[in-house]
Amino acid sequence: MATILMLGILHARRLYDDKKVEDMKEKGIELEFSPDVKASFLRLLPLRSMSRCWGFLMSVGIPVCLRPFIYKAWARAFHSNLDEVALPLENYVSLQEFFIRTLKEGSRPIDPDPNCLVSPVDGKILRLGELRGSGAMIEQVKGFSYSAASLLGANSFLHDAVDEETCKEHSKQSITEYSSTKSRWRISFASPKLRGPVSVSPKKGLFYCVIYLKPGDYHRVHSPIDWHVLIRRHFSGRLFPLNERATRTIRNLHVENERVVLEGQWEEGFIAMAAIGATNVGSIKLFIEPELKTNRPTQRLLHSKPPDERVYEPEGVGVMVKKGEELAAFNMGSTVVIVFQAPVSESPGKDDRSSEFKFCVRSGDKIKVGETIGKWKRS
């Protein structure tokens, strides 16, 4: 009884803190990163073992007569829409099956526009923007960021994409300098006379979008666009919570947590999607690789340990997935981060690049699978 009372008090306190955060946001006050002693205490807890125990409890079968009552109670507590559920509630043997439930046909229509990128999950847009330079940073919260390379891995194709764009910028600058020098009849033989695909290929920018899933959200991950999945990386990290409080208080939260990263190519260049696990979300199911197991017991968690990688066959082609196709699923709430290249315009006379790709959403917006995140113009 004392334990239940303590958990109730902690839950009430969390709801009170979340309400304060929402009130501040409505007033236009953006919270900044502020390390917390309580967050440091989480590092001492066996969160991975606790998550495995929770996963076991979730997989325990529930008597048929109790299933509707339990699932309806969960739906009321976490604001889930049971009208979208594909099967009768009695058909879901366990809470785990209910969490990763499918939806009725047509519940998540996919935007058919070929020039748009859609949301892979139901959730809330936390952060989005454009990444610039080799040290491109993703904002976790105001006052603190982490590098995109650390999220995706040292062997990520992201580095090649950034180097390619840097090479194009330098090549364009060299061509401009060569042309201006030639017009003044002072031609340097050291100036490169580049006349290749690099000088005429369209300019690409690098963008990101971070989406948070609450416990009551639909928990399947879909493809945001038609693309070739070339490689998978599994980082066996920690399992910190991913709620707003944790985001504001735990440094490098998305980089430290266990995650599965898919990387590949689409018609506009590089794309990667990271499914990040959290406390009680140690199980990330990958539909294109069902044998992958996450949150496995380890004797000792070494952060220097390289990720487990798999290159999908045929090499260089990988697995072709269509926009809206199911890719993965995980239990409870978690986070998905998309990093991708998209076309940008080269408008002369402007300090900042006016992107041909435009986000259609803003931070704080709620979004569903298949709804447009951003659009671009076709040249």
Side-chain angles (χ1 to χ4, degrees), residues 181-221:
T181 305
K182 184 176 179 180
S183 64
R184 296 195 302 269
W185 295 94
R186 291 195 299 272
I187 302 176
S188 169
F189 291 101
S191 301
K193 301 180 181 181
L194 298 178
R195 296 289 187 273
V198 171
S199 61
V200 296
S201 58
K203 194 174 184 61
K204 301 292 177 61
L206 197 62
F207 300 86
Y208 75 94
C209 183
V210 184
I211 308 174
Y212 170 65
L213 292 76
K214 291 184 177 181
D217 288 329
Y218 169 61
H219 294 94
R220 298 206 172 206
V221 184

Side-chain angles (χ1 to χ4, degrees), residues 11-21:
H11 181 65
R13 176 60 186 271
R14 183 177 65 83
L15 292 177
Y16 174 73
D17 290 341
D18 291 345
K19 183 65 168 58
K20 284 172 55 178
V21 171

Side-chain angles (χ1 to χ4, degrees), residues 73 101 107 117 127 140 154 240 257 288-289 314 320-321 348 375:
R101 61 192 178 274
S107 297
L117 183 138
R127 297 284 167 177
Q140 178 173 310
F240 291 126
N257 270 23
I288 60 175
E289 189 183 341
M320 176 63 185
V321 291
K375 296 185 176 183

Side-chain angles (χ1 to χ4, degrees), residues 56-70:
F56 171 77
L57 292 175
M58 288 178 58
S59 63
V60 173
I62 300 173
V64 177
C65 59
L66 296 180
R67 292 172 190 173
F69 300 102
I70 293 176

Side-chain angles (χ1 to χ4, degrees), residues 219-278:
H219 294 94
R220 298 206 172 206
V221 184
H222 295 245
S223 173
I225 201 71
D226 296 347
W227 60 302
H228 292 268
V229 184
L230 301 178
I231 190 171
R232 180 268 300 157
R233 294 189 192 89
H234 172 218
F235 296 81
S236 183
R238 299 180 183 272
L239 285 176
F240 291 126
L242 288 176
N243 53 39
E244 289 198 52
R245 181 180 178 83
T247 303
R248 300 194 314 269
T249 58
I250 302 177
R251 193 177 296 271
N252 291 327
L253 179 61
H254 296 158
V255 174
E256 287 209 34
N257 270 23
E258 180 163 14
R259 60 198 181 278
V260 173
V261 175
L262 298 177
E263 280 193 8
Q265 291 282 324
W266 68 303
E267 63 179 355
E268 299 296 343
F270 169 83
I271 185 171
M273 187 161 61
I276 306 173

Side-chain angles (χ1 to χ4, degrees), residues 145-196:
S145 302
Y146 56 91
S147 72
S150 61
L151 175 73
L152 303 180
N155 298 328
S156 172
F157 300 144
L158 173 71
H159 308 288
D160 297 331
V162 172
D163 291 343
E164 180 184 352
E165 291 307 312
T166 303
C167 178
K168 289 178 183 178
E169 289 182 5
H170 290 169
S171 299
K172 181 184 175 184
Q173 183 179 2
S174 299
I175 293 171
T176 305
E177 291 175 356
Y178 169 76
S179 301
S180 61
T181 305
K182 184 176 179 180
S183 64
R184 296 195 302 269
W185 295 94
R186 291 195 299 272
I187 302 176
S188 169
F189 291 101
S191 301
K193 301 180 181 181
L194 298 178
R195 296 289 187 273

Side-chain angles (χ1 to χ4, degrees), residues 3 8 49 71 127 131 166 212 215 222 256 262 274 355 357 366:
T3 302
S49 299
Y71 300 151
R127 297 284 167 177
L131 300 172
T166 303
Y212 170 65
H222 295 245
E256 287 209 34
L262 298 177
S355 169
F357 173 84
K366 293 183 179 180

